[in-house]
Amino acid sequence: MNPKHSAFSLGRLVCETLWYFFRPLTGVVLAVAVTTAVLVGVLVLGDSLRESLRHQAIDRLGGVDDALFAAGFLRQDCTNDWQKAAKMYSQIVPIVRVSASLENFSGSGDGTARANGVQIIGCSATFWTLGVVKPARQPQGREIVLNAKTAELLHAKIGDRIVVWLPVVRGIPAESSFGRRADLLKPSAVTVVDIVPSENLGAFQLAGSQEIPRNAYVDLAWLAEEIDQPGRANLVLFSRKAEFSHDTGNALAELERFPLLPEDYGLRVTRTRRGYLFLSTERLIFDPATEKAVTDHLKGVEFQRVFIYLAERVTSHHGEAWYATVAALPLASDPPFGPFLDTADRPVTTPAEDECVINEWLAERLQVRPGEEITLTYFAPETQGADIRRETASLKVKAVVRLQGAAADPELVPEVRGLTDKKTIADWDPPFPFDASRVTREDEDYWTQHRATPKIFVSPEFAKKHWASRYGKTTGIQVLPTSGLDEQALRARLTLSVGELGWQPQPVKEQALSASQGTTPFDVLFLAFNLFVVVASLLLTGLLFVLNVEKR
């Protein structure tokens, strides 16, 4: 035996084997490398897309963690009180957000450039401290800042004069009988003072859409004035302190405890000439949540609900009257809610569901007496688009009351812009069909002397059956004052918290992060899309391995 080749070791065997089979093994190694690269690339691509969506969701919110969408418009100043009391929030910023259309007549494109569905954000300089992107200067008065996406659509540049078509905000729901179904738009000319990139707050958006939003930014005070809501905001943004960034439950609980004065949720508190306190709402009808919250805080206090409606036409066998106010309330016998006295000075009680009480002016106009029947024609409490339906109801006259005292109280009727603020009926600008030719001299004289004083009184049960809607069933609340309950005390009593009113703050950053994850596992999705490549790589590796084994 040759002593030079007698030594044997495992390492030597491996090295000589690798050297001998170098070429076939190199093919197997390269095939394995390709297969690994394909698998890793597919999985990394899915993770990269998910991380990109996550970054985009956070970037568009800046430092905003939570948001409160007001049920109407609240005072901007109330957020100053919240900031002083806040323990978990470093910044509380009120803004006005509305959707509008923009037109540019001086753009570089052909003709007039128009952008619809633009998110107009009325903000102060504090808003821009929530992010990184900010304009060179805060817009003032009739100035506007566009993001790059909106500027591109409008072919706009700094210095251009553009027209913003802003909505005229009305508190009354559009689909109620007293709501305006057609949007009222108000044009305002503004000057472009800066264009910010469509990123960070330049792409501010609370919705979970991946599309770059069309944004424009104006001065908060100016926008509030333009939409007839001076000093108010409809959206409040909250930025948490760093140590509470993940404590969503406690942060929202603190937010729900912030107080709202009556005017913050649209409640009016007035003392009437008859001595009672009257609660009404800017929405005309109390929504169920607000009504419950208010009445829950009136426990131990004497009060009664009032529902005011308008009959387009009232007819009897002998006459007719147009546009008569109808009141549904319990007819009290004691001041200040009553009494209601008939023509013989006897107290009149609440009519049954199929009865009504009319005042002496209407009784003379219709030539009716107690026991006879009248028919009311009125607009349905809810409408769909331009479809305004009329309905009728027949009622037996229970009594005729004198037009004095509680039966001559115009303050039962809440303020309705376009109606109660007009000097004459001919000046009305109502949202419902109105025929001024039906108005007589006697109607105008009644309006001059008694304003919108109800001419007909029905039972609360009748109103609930015929006029209640999803928007509510109460237009006013009469409250009996006491030695310890005057207007100021009632306002303090009705200072409610955000949670009591049913307003639900939203953890928008947490929601955005959740939405960015989605329900689609992107790594699995891309793996499925590239399955044929993965299978081909695995087959190549397997075939090379089998061929090498067979060759050996």
Side-chain angles (χ1 to χ4, degrees):
M1 178 179 292
N2 187 345
K4 295 178 67 174
H5 298 283
S6 60
F8 173 80
S9 67
L10 181 61
R12 182 178 178 182
L13 176 62
V14 171
C15 289
E16 291 191 0
T17 301
L18 290 175
W19 176 256
Y20 184 79
F21 293 104
F22 174 75
R23 294 180 62 187
L25 286 178
T26 300
V28 174
V29 169
L30 291 176
V32 171
V34 169
T35 303
T36 303
V38 169
L39 286 171
V40 172
V42 167
L43 296 176
V44 167
L45 185 60
D47 287 341
S48 174
L49 179 58
R50 181 181 288 109
E51 182 60 25
S52 175
L53 294 175
R54 180 180 180 277
H55 172 75
Q56 185 183 71
I58 296 177
D59 184 62
R60 290 183 179 182
L61 290 173
V64 178
D65 293 290
D66 306 313
L68 178 64
F69 300 85
F73 282 79
L74 50 75
R75 290 177 306 119
Q76 297 169 16
D77 290 342
C78 77
T79 59
N80 296 330
D81 300 329
W82 295 358
Q83 187 70 77
K84 294 175 184 177
K87 296 179 180 179
M88 305 184 73
Y89 292 104
S90 58
Q91 285 183 284
I92 301 177
V93 181
I95 66 172
V96 173
R97 187 183 65 160
V98 295
S99 180
S101 296
L102 275 62
E103 291 181 334
N104 184 14
F105 298 95
S106 57
S108 57
D110 296 331
T112 301
R114 184 181 181 90
N116 297 318
V118 178
Q119 181 180 226
I120 306 294
I121 298 173
C123 58
S124 64
T126 309
F127 169 78
W128 297 104
T129 64
L130 295 170
V132 178
V133 171
K134 60 184 65 178
R137 67 181 181 87
Q138 170 70 16
Q140 301 292 330
R142 292 185 174 276
E143 296 178 341
I144 193 169
V145 172
L146 306 176
N147 72 352
K149 174 69 176 292
T150 306
E152 180 183 357
L153 291 172
L154 291 173
H155 307 296
K157 60 185 183 300
I158 295 175
D160 281 357
R161 293 279 288 177
I162 65 176
V163 175
V164 182
W165 290 89
L166 292 170
V168 178
V169 177
R170 296 285 183 259
I172 302 175
E175 292 184 351
S176 71
S177 56
F178 287 92
R180 294 192 181 274
R181 281 148 288 280
D183 291 335
L184 296 178
L185 299 177
K186 176 182 179 180
S188 296
V190 294
T191 302
V192 179
V193 294
D194 200 5
I195 297 173
V196 295
S198 296
E199 60 186 36
N200 197 245
L201 293 183
F204 178 76
Q205 185 176 14
L206 296 178
S209 173
Q210 303 304 321
E211 183 181 357
I212 298 176
R214 306 172 182 183
N215 286 357
Y217 307 85
V218 295
D219 179 60
L220 174 60
W222 177 81
L223 180 57
E225 288 279 355
E226 287 294 296
I227 63 174
D228 204 19
Q229 297 291 332
R232 312 190 83 181
N234 62 355
L235 177 61
V236 184
L237 307 176
F238 297 82
S239 179
R240 299 180 201 165
K241 295 178 180 178
E243 59 268 33
F244 303 115
S245 59
H246 299 292
D247 195 356
T248 299
N250 288 327
L252 294 185
E254 179 182 79
L255 200 162
E256 290 181 350
R257 291 193 295 269
F258 289 150
L260 292 165
L261 297 180
E263 53 266 35
D264 290 328
Y265 58 94
L267 185 71
R268 303 188 188 100
V269 182
T270 57
R271 188 178 189 93
T272 65
R273 289 188 292 271
R274 288 192 53 77
Y276 63 84
L277 300 173
F278 191 64
L279 307 179
S280 59
T281 173
E282 294 175 353
R283 294 172 58 87
L284 181 62
I285 302 175
F286 282 86
D287 65 88
T290 301
E291 181 182 353
K292 183 180 185 305
V294 168
T295 54
D296 284 348
H297 279 70
L298 292 178
K299 290 179 179 178
V301 176
E302 185 177 346
F303 69 91
Q304 65 180 26
R305 296 174 174 83
V306 179
F307 194 91
I308 298 295
Y309 213 73
L310 182 72
E312 183 190 32
R313 186 185 182 203
V314 185
T315 59
S316 70
H317 293 300
H318 308 291
E320 66 175 11
W322 287 76
Y323 309 114
T325 306
V326 185
L329 76 167
L331 301 189
S333 56
D334 298 320
F337 299 159
F340 294 80
L341 303 176
D342 66 10
T343 53
D345 290 332
R346 295 171 298 194
V348 176
T349 57
T350 305
E353 186 178 325
D354 61 346
E355 296 178 327
C356 69
V357 172
I358 63 176
N359 67 15
E360 54 188 348
W361 184 94
L362 186 62
E364 181 179 353
R365 179 72 171 270
L366 300 180
Q367 295 295 301
V368 294
R369 294 177 296 178
E372 296 182 351
E373 192 175 86
I374 63 173
T375 300
L376 277 61
T377 302
Y378 52 87
F379 300 109
E382 292 189 43
T383 62
Q384 294 294 331
D387 181 23
I388 300 176
R389 295 180 295 107
R390 291 174 173 81
E391 298 177 353
T392 60
S394 295
L395 296 167
K396 184 172 69 174
V397 177
K398 175 183 178 179
V400 176
V401 294
R402 292 188 182 279
L403 190 51
Q404 62 184 28
D409 185 5
E411 292 176 289
L412 286 173
V413 181
E415 179 184 341
V416 182
R417 189 176 301 180
L419 296 179
T420 58
D421 57 345
K422 301 300 182 180
K423 291 184 177 181
T424 66
I425 300 178
D427 293 333
W428 279 11
D429 180 26
F432 49 80
F434 173 65
D435 186 357
S437 66
R438 299 289 187 177
V439 180
T440 65
R441 171 49 56 187
E442 290 79 9
D443 294 323
E444 291 287 12
D445 290 343
Y446 184 94
W447 183 263
T448 300
Q449 297 176 32
H450 306 288
R451 304 302 294 168
T453 298
K455 299 172 183 175
I456 306 171
F457 300 90
V458 298
S459 68
E461 292 75 22
F462 175 87
K464 184 177 180 180
K465 178 179 179 181
H466 294 272
W467 299 329
S469 69
R470 57 192 163 114
Y471 301 114
K473 59 182 187 301
T474 301
T475 58
I477 300 175
Q478 294 175 298
V479 180
L480 181 66
T482 62
S483 57
L485 185 68
D486 57 9
E487 184 177 349
Q488 184 175 356
L490 183 58
R491 283 175 48 82
R493 188 176 188 136
L494 295 178
T495 297
L496 309 179
S497 69
V498 170
E500 286 176 320
L501 283 166
W503 294 8
Q504 296 183 343
Q506 301 296 320
V508 290
K509 180 166 288 186
E510 188 176 279
Q511 291 172 347
L513 289 173
S514 177
S516 69
Q517 298 296 322
T519 58
T520 303
F522 290 107
D523 45 3
V524 177
L525 182 63
F526 281 107
L527 183 62
F529 284 161
N530 296 276
L531 186 60
F532 69 97
V533 179
V534 174
V535 171
S537 301
L538 291 172
L539 286 175
L540 176 62
T541 303
L543 287 172
L544 289 174
F545 182 79
V546 170
L547 288 173
N548 285 329
V549 170
E550 289 180 350
K551 182 177 180 180
R552 294 180 62 182

